[in-house]
Amino acid sequence: ELAREFDIDAAEQNDETAPKILELKGVVFHESRCGSTLAANSMMALNPVTNRVYSESSPPISALRGCGEDYSECSLAGAANLLKDVVYMMGRSNDPKEENLFFKFQSVTTRTMDTFRTAFPSTPWIFLYREPVQVMMSQLDIPKISRANCVRSKSSSSLVRASVLKQGYRMEDM
């Protein structure tokens, strides 16, 4: 909130040091191992001077998950406001050539897409995926299987934990 007030005041006073606020032009959600890095690199390559692309950056991911996947820590509206603030801060620029802002979010954030859609209802987004068998084979190709995206967050996700327990399994069995 304070950054927005500062930016508005600076702009009203024609302060040359006032940051420019980049417009959020699009977002990529994806499953893991599907070629999403190519999509992020393509967004940057379209015009490297004017486009800023964040690829799996931590602050928006933390914001998307800040209220819990089940919104047990705050409401959907609260989570959306937090995400808007983070994107606003990351979209501030002192480069007059920059104009466009893009994000590629980690695959784990697909469970919180409703937060993004609430925060930015008119911003274009895409979900990239790949043949499931190919994704699993790619995951199994990782030297230490416990580091694969498909199993890495199993113990930290309240939704995964609840689903496993509901099926009668123990987390240690997974």
Side-chain angles (χ1 to χ4, degrees):
E1 191 66 33
L2 292 176
R4 280 192 179 92
E5 290 175 19
F6 173 84
D7 294 346
I8 291 168
D9 289 344
E12 287 174 353
Q13 295 173 14
N14 293 323
D15 185 343
E16 293 179 13
T17 64
K20 179 180 184 177
I21 308 305
L22 304 179
E23 184 177 348
L24 182 59
K25 293 289 190 166
V27 171
V28 174
F29 288 94
H30 64 93
E31 71 177 20
S32 62
R33 316 292 288 185
C34 73
S36 60
T37 299
L38 177 61
N41 291 343
S42 297
M43 288 184 288
M44 179 57 98
L46 287 171
N47 194 335
V49 174
T50 63
N51 292 350
R52 181 187 294 179
V53 179
Y54 287 105
S55 185
E56 301 186 357
S57 180
S58 295
I61 294 164
S62 295
L64 280 165
R65 300 176 80 191
C67 289
E69 294 172 330
D70 58 354
Y71 304 104
S72 59
E73 304 297 317
C74 67
S75 67
L76 173 60
N81 287 334
L82 178 58
L83 179 61
K84 283 193 264 189
D85 288 344
V86 168
V87 169
Y88 179 86
M89 294 301 290
M90 294 179 76
R92 297 171 85 215
S93 176
N94 61 359
D95 183 345
K97 295 176 186 170
E98 279 190 311
E99 296 176 11
N100 307 310
L101 182 62
F102 298 92
F103 282 91
K104 179 185 89 161
F105 292 136
Q106 285 180 334
S107 56
V108 71
T109 63
T110 58
R111 294 188 295 241
T112 55
M113 285 175 65
D114 50 345
T115 301
F116 167 78
R117 295 183 72 199
T118 299
F120 302 100
S122 61
T123 299
W125 61 276
I126 187 170
F127 181 81
L128 296 179
Y129 62 96
R130 178 178 171 193
E131 176 77 35
V133 171
Q134 292 175 352
V135 172
M136 292 306 295
M137 294 305 293
S138 179
Q139 293 284 8
L140 294 173
D141 203 25
I142 294 174
K144 188 172 179 188
I145 190 64
S146 64
R147 296 186 65 219
N149 289 345
C150 61
V151 296
R152 196 171 48 207
S153 67
K154 72 178 183 185
S155 61
S156 63
S157 169
S158 60
L159 294 178
V160 170
R161 189 176 305 110
S163 178
V164 167
L165 296 174
K166 182 179 178 183
Q167 298 298 320
Y169 296 103
R170 298 176 312 155
M171 288 303 295
E172 304 82 51
D173 297 334
M174 304 323 270

